[in-house]
Amino acid sequence: MVPTLKLRDIVVKWRDALQASSAIQSYCTTKYSKSPKIYVGINGKSLPADTDCPIIIIYPGEKSEGLELQEYSYTLTVGWTILQSATTTTGSITEYTGATECDDLGQLIYLELAQLSTNYPVSEVKYNIEPVAYYPRFPGRMDITVKIKPVNGYSISY
């Protein structure tokens, strides 16, 4: 038996964990008076409306497996977007509140996913926030890689 793991298995675990996260739910309820909408995949031709924010999107990603590999890798992307037009000005400094709130939500998402599997922890995260191009939307995204050392003859359970 060749050890393999479906990307869908990871997606479902992440989806359910983000939905059940009291930290994420509390943050979004406090800041935006509603829970985040969670999407698995997204229709790029019909993006969610501003009224749908905050949103979290899980993209199925990619994997690298094979009998000659000593370590398998699974990389999925998680995106999130908040809507916030507020600014704070103190003296000559103006800060866009959305950039901070986007980072705060991104950190909560990362921490939730990082602690999901003690056997296969997050190996690498590439994290990015776009604070300019989509104002007053503040999107972030992270590519999360999980690495697993397979054992031939055994199935992989994430």
Side-chain angles (χ1 to χ4, degrees), residues 26-154:
S26 176
Y27 183 81
C28 290
T29 301
T30 300
K31 293 287 183 183
Y32 313 109
S33 302
K34 59 183 171 178
S35 294
K37 288 192 174 186
I38 298 175
Y39 296 83
V40 176
I42 197 82
N43 178 351
K45 294 179 182 178
S46 180
L47 295 173
D50 286 352
T51 55
D52 292 323
C53 292
I55 61 172
I56 299 172
I57 306 164
I58 303 170
Y59 300 88
E62 65 183 22
K63 67 179 181 174
S64 180
E65 296 178 330
L67 292 175
E68 294 185 10
L69 293 177
Q70 298 296 313
E71 187 173 66
Y72 293 176
S73 66
Y74 304 86
T75 302
L76 288 81
T77 299
V78 176
W80 64 99
T81 301
I82 60 108
L83 184 70
Q84 180 57 267
S85 60
T87 60
T88 302
T89 302
T90 306
S92 62
I93 299 171
T94 298
E95 292 188 47
Y96 286 81
T97 308
T100 300
E101 290 179 8
C102 183
D103 191 25
D104 289 345
L105 180 56
Q107 283 299 119
L108 291 173
I109 293 167
Y110 171 60
L111 292 173
E112 189 65 42
L113 299 177
Q115 58 84 35
L116 271 182
S117 178
T118 54
N119 291 334
Y120 308 120
V122 168
S123 300
E124 181 181 356
V125 173
K126 294 179 182 173
Y127 184 104
N128 181 24
I129 293 173
E130 173 47 63
V132 178
Y134 306 101
Y135 178 86
R137 286 185 180 216
F138 287 84
R141 76 188 277 140
M142 62 183 111
D143 297 323
I144 302 172
T145 301
V146 175
K147 295 183 179 179
I148 297 175
K149 293 185 181 187
V151 177
N152 285 333
Y154 293 91

